[in-house]
Amino acid sequence: MTVFVSGLASGAIFAAAALIYNVMFSTSKVLSVATGHTAMLGGVFGAWFMSSLGLPAAVALLGSVAVGAAFGFVTDFVAIRRVLTRSDEHLWLLSTLALATMTQQVVALWWGTEPRPFPRLLPQAYSSGLADQKYWLPVAVALLLAIGLELFYRRTLYGKLFMALSEDAFAARARGVPTGRLRALSYVMAGSMGGLAGFAAGQLTFAYFALGLTLSLNGFIALAAGGLGSNVGALVGGGALGMLNAIATYFIGGQYQNTVAVGLLMVVLLIKPEGLFGAKVARPV
Amino acid sequence: MRWCPIPGAVAVIAATFCSLTSLSCQKKEPLKIGWLSSLTGPLSTAAIAENRGVEFAVEEINNAGGVNGQKIEIVTRDTAGDPTKAVNFAKQLIFVDKVSVIIGPVNSGESLASVPVVAKEGIPNLIIGTLDELTDPVKYPRAFRAICTNSQWIDAANDYALHVLKKSNVAIIADTTGYGTATAKAAAASLDKSGAKPVYTVLVDPNKTDLTDEMNKAKAAGADIVMPWSASTGLLARLLNTRGDMGWSVPVVGHPVLMAAPIRPLLNKPDYLQNVFAAGYSSMTYDEGGKLPAATAKLRDQIRGRLGNGGEIDFSFWWVALGYDTVKLVEHAVKTAGATDPGAIQKAFENTKNFAGVYATYSWGPEERNGYPPQAVVMNIASSFKDGAYKAAPH
């Protein structure tokens, strides 16, 4: 049971990262390397707001979401906008990697390279075992984000515009859709989701500067396994990855954890290249 | 404009004087020491503290006239804990800065990469990483270790577990880094020599967010002592939190980071540090009267004001002492050698016997590259931290 719960909790964080990828990808076709860093910032700033500034948890939560949103905007402004305007090549890989590296370095210099504690959010004894909030808060937030995104895409005008942009950016622009502004909005939204996910996972991950790349990598694996563009796929992919990691560590040993993660990605890509819930894309010839 | 003969005459006299006594007029080149430190990367807490010790020793030596009349110039390079940077900076120190000796890097992973590079160029290197493989009188004849070895930590911890606590059902929990993997094997081999076998051994990713499974398995395997071998504060804190949350009172004995300052705020409750013992040093251990060795107390009082935090030392002071000693050791070797020639410095280190530092009393030999005396590794009570040092574990 502990394998299941701890695997589910870490899988939920990967799923949240996969959902963030989806939001940014829908408007820009970019898989930002700085995706995990939005969650890292959420955890670090959440801890800072509460521990150093003494702010209540609710205010710290809003602050973390705001920091994530600001980082999302900066990502679009610094690493995406000009790169997409000037080149069709995948230069965004380099620009987002550079931004991710710089962000991590700046946080390391300011916050330190040792993990720092993340305060308890809800009153609960530490001996609560598997019912502990550190396991369930990330799961609840991943589910909340997935449901919220589905509602956003289906029920709101902006959600429909996101989908139109995702289907065909040129056609959307031809019909007067402000694609640049929508892309910036999607990055702000993705950043705020990262801030929320990092805040919810803080008790599990601690407030740690080096968390970003781990989440970017595992979030990408979850996304590729679940299917690019699918929110259900992101949830299933993240959950499966977390569970497989936990099972591999339990039965085989921690040294094989990453082998299992990358192995999962390879198996899925070999059998179903579009991912478990991804849509097949027909290429006109 | 009238020509004034006085300045010209002064110049002529000065030039004549200098040509007669050229040595006194020629400014001596500084003694350049390269310092590879992870000031902004992993283990930066230790590196920053070591740097304080290095800087203090340099200032002290230079104020006293330098080494054989040469002022020391420290050339610091921040490796950020990255082995690639450590190698690149080591080359820069050798070929561009032309240093006489290199101290560092501060962690074993970086040292594994840089030590062969420094050795190839024949530059003396003071090693402050603990992995046993870092020294070899044949492969790296000019690399001398100023810190204890990993084996010394392991042997001290195993000895304490088996012979003092009388616990032989050992669970070894190490991380999946090169250090953790190698140390788990070495710890099991050391136990084997003592006639004990671990009942449970596991390697865990240092960023794993939960250790409940591992601790439950250790308990189910009948472990009566848990021995973690990792320098990851996050992993060790999670291990202690899991033990505490489980209500399991098993003793934890192992790596010095168990008692490092960054662990304490990560614990769910301060009590979770009870019954935890870590490998430490006699020079940093309070005696029964609550006093530190005289050399440690003296350095601590001298440097206290520079360490900030209102004069209270909130990190392990041995880092400062080690940094301080490395520069003093270089001073000793260059003075003894009477030159900065690498071969002469090697000989001077090889002939060093019982050099009294603050962190330790060092001895090397023609076939011995580990200078730290094994008997100076002692076990400390992790929860006993006070002003940079610890109490001895009960015997």
Side-chain angles (χ1 to χ4, degrees):
Chain A
M1 190 61 182
T2 49
V3 180
F4 175 79
V5 174
S6 64
L8 196 63
S10 54
I13 308 172
F14 303 153
L19 290 169
I20 299 165
Y21 270 119
N22 264 345
V23 172
M24 291 189 277
F25 188 80
S26 68
T27 58
S28 62
K29 304 297 178 207
V30 164
L31 294 166
S32 167
V33 181
T35 296
H37 295 71
T38 58
M40 178 271 284
L41 289 172
V44 166
F45 273 89
W48 184 63
F49 287 139
M50 286 185 281
S51 303
S52 301
L53 302 186
L55 298 176
V59 179
L61 169 63
L62 290 175
S64 292
V65 170
V67 168
F71 182 68
F73 180 78
V74 169
T75 305
D76 174 60
F77 188 76
V78 173
I80 305 295
R81 186 179 298 184
R82 292 179 72 80
V83 169
L84 288 188
T85 310
R86 294 186 172 208
S87 170
D88 289 334
E89 302 298 327
H90 292 173
L91 285 180
W92 48 260
L93 190 62
L94 281 177
S95 60
T96 56
L97 178 63
L99 180 68
T101 308
M102 285 191 291
T103 304
Q104 182 167 311
Q105 284 294 316
V106 169
V107 173
L109 289 171
W110 166 63
W111 185 248
T113 54
E114 297 290 355
R116 294 213 213 163
F118 193 93
R120 206 79 166 144
L121 293 176
L122 307 169
Q124 186 185 29
Y126 282 112
S127 54
S128 306
L130 296 178
D132 197 285
Q133 57 189 281
K134 73 179 179 186
Y135 298 120
W136 297 108
L137 279 175
V139 176
V141 164
L143 286 172
L144 188 74
L145 289 176
I147 294 167
L149 274 181
E150 284 300 316
L151 290 174
F152 173 75
Y153 285 134
R154 289 168 196 271
R155 301 275 173 89
T156 69
L157 177 62
Y158 275 101
K160 290 187 167 71
L161 288 174
F162 274 31
M163 290 178 79
L165 204 56
S166 172
E167 289 289 323
D168 191 331
F170 290 107
R173 193 179 303 152
R175 288 176 176 267
V177 174
T179 52
R181 268 193 287 167
L182 279 181
R183 191 187 57 239
L185 178 65
S186 76
Y187 275 74
V188 168
M189 213 170 106
S192 55
M193 287 166 61
L196 175 62
F199 188 88
Q203 292 178 71
L204 203 58
T205 61
F206 293 139
Y208 186 42
F209 85 107
L211 188 67
L213 275 180
T214 308
L215 287 185
S216 289
L217 176 66
N218 285 297
F220 175 73
I221 293 171
L223 181 72
L228 192 58
S230 165
N231 293 330
V232 177
L235 279 182
V236 172
L241 180 61
M243 298 288 285
L244 271 173
N245 275 348
I247 289 167
T249 304
Y250 189 82
F251 290 107
I252 312 172
Q255 62 271 46
Y256 301 104
Q257 183 179 314
N258 289 332
T259 313
V260 168
V262 180
L264 166 74
L265 176 66
M266 290 187 68
V267 167
V268 171
L269 292 181
L270 282 172
I271 298 170
K272 213 167 179 298
E274 70 275 16
L276 295 172
F277 295 88
K280 279 187 178 169
V281 179
R283 190 178 64 173
V285 288
Chain B
M1 190 175 156
R2 269 185 71 191
W3 176 73
C4 175
I6 295 172
V10 169
V12 169
I13 291 166
T16 309
F17 186 74
C18 279
S19 67
L20 291 173
T21 58
S22 59
L23 280 177
S24 61
C25 282
Q26 191 180 346
K27 198 180 172 190
K28 273 201 168 185
E29 287 288 312
L31 168 62
K32 283 190 175 180
I33 301 175
W35 168 220
L36 292 170
S37 185
S38 172
L39 293 169
T40 58
L43 300 181
S44 63
T45 312
I48 290 166
E50 284 161 4
N51 192 48
R52 298 285 178 89
V54 166
E55 287 175 345
F56 186 73
V58 170
E59 194 180 314
E60 192 178 85
I61 293 166
N62 283 345
N63 286 343
V67 186
N68 298 335
Q70 285 181 284
K71 297 277 184 185
I72 293 179
E73 181 184 329
I74 281 283
V75 187
T76 306
R77 293 287 177 264
D78 180 7
T79 62
D82 181 346
T84 311
K85 283 185 182 170
V87 168
N88 290 339
F89 282 137
K91 287 181 177 172
Q92 191 187 55
L93 288 172
I94 295 167
F95 297 117
V96 180
D97 300 303
K98 302 200 183 300
V99 299
S100 299
V101 180
I102 290 179
I103 301 170
V106 302
N107 72 56
S108 294
E110 295 172 84
S111 301
L112 280 171
S114 70
V115 166
V117 173
V118 178
K120 192 180 163 200
E121 302 306 325
I123 299 295
N125 190 181
L126 269 183
I127 307 279
I128 52 175
T130 60
L131 266 189
D132 292 68
E133 296 84 345
L134 292 173
T135 52
D136 185 322
V138 178
K139 280 160 69 182
Y140 318 128
R142 288 177 186 159
F144 294 83
R145 194 196 307 266
I147 193 172
C148 70
T149 65
N150 206 33
S151 296
Q152 289 172 337
W153 280 342
I154 292 169
D155 291 345
N158 283 351
D159 181 65
Y160 190 73
L162 298 176
H163 301 120
V164 178
L165 296 178
K166 309 282 185 201
K167 308 283 186 189
S168 54
N169 295 327
V170 178
I172 296 175
I173 299 181
D175 66 41
T176 53
T177 61
Y179 172 79
T181 310
T183 308
K185 278 185 191 165
S190 170
L191 283 172
D192 197 40
K193 269 197 275 180
S194 306
K197 276 200 182 306
V199 294
Y200 174 66
T201 303
V202 68
L203 298 178
V204 186
D205 187 298
N207 292 320
K208 190 167 191 284
T209 50
D210 186 51
L211 269 83
T212 310
D213 298 336
E214 288 76 10
M215 290 297 274
N216 276 334
K217 281 176 101 171
K219 193 175 184 183
D224 56 11
I225 188 161
V226 172
M227 302 190 75
W229 291 106
S230 169
S232 163
T233 48
L235 182 74
L236 294 173
R238 288 181 178 110
L239 184 146
L240 296 178
N241 279 338
T242 306
R243 181 189 71 150
D245 292 347
M246 285 165 70
W248 190 20
S249 60
V250 67
V252 175
V253 177
H255 196 280
V257 170
L258 277 168
M259 57 184 180
I263 290 268
R264 293 192 287 275
L266 295 175
L267 297 179
N268 291 343
K269 296 176 185 174
D271 282 357
Y272 286 5
L273 206 54
Q274 295 299 321
N275 212 14
V276 178
F277 308 98
Y281 313 100
S282 58
S283 60
M284 300 293 147
T285 302
Y286 292 106
D287 64 16
E288 287 179 356
K291 292 197 169 166
L292 284 175
T296 309
K298 184 182 169 196
L299 178 65
R300 196 177 60 170
D301 291 341
Q302 283 177 321
I303 204 170
R304 184 188 295 280
R306 301 167 177 233
L307 300 177
N309 204 31
E312 189 187 340
I313 298 170
D314 61 353
F315 54 83
S316 298
F317 188 68
W318 71 266
W319 292 324
V320 177
L322 174 63
Y324 177 84
D325 278 3
T326 53
V327 180
K328 292 296 230 183
L329 284 164
V330 174
E331 179 198 26
H332 158 75
V334 174
K335 265 188 179 169
T336 308
T340 53
D341 168 58
I345 292 177
Q346 178 186 340
K347 282 277 173 224
F349 275 129
E350 284 179 351
N351 292 326
T352 298
K353 296 281 176 256
N354 298 320
F355 176 85
V358 176
Y359 168 63
T361 298
Y362 306 86
S363 300
W364 289 282
E367 301 299 321
E368 182 56 80
R369 291 295 180 268
N370 297 319
Y372 194 92
Q375 68 276 10
V377 178
V378 299
M379 296 306 293
N380 288 143
I381 302 170
S383 60
S384 67
F385 178 83
K386 189 182 135 196
D387 210 15
Y390 302 86
K391 285 184 187 169
H395 273 73

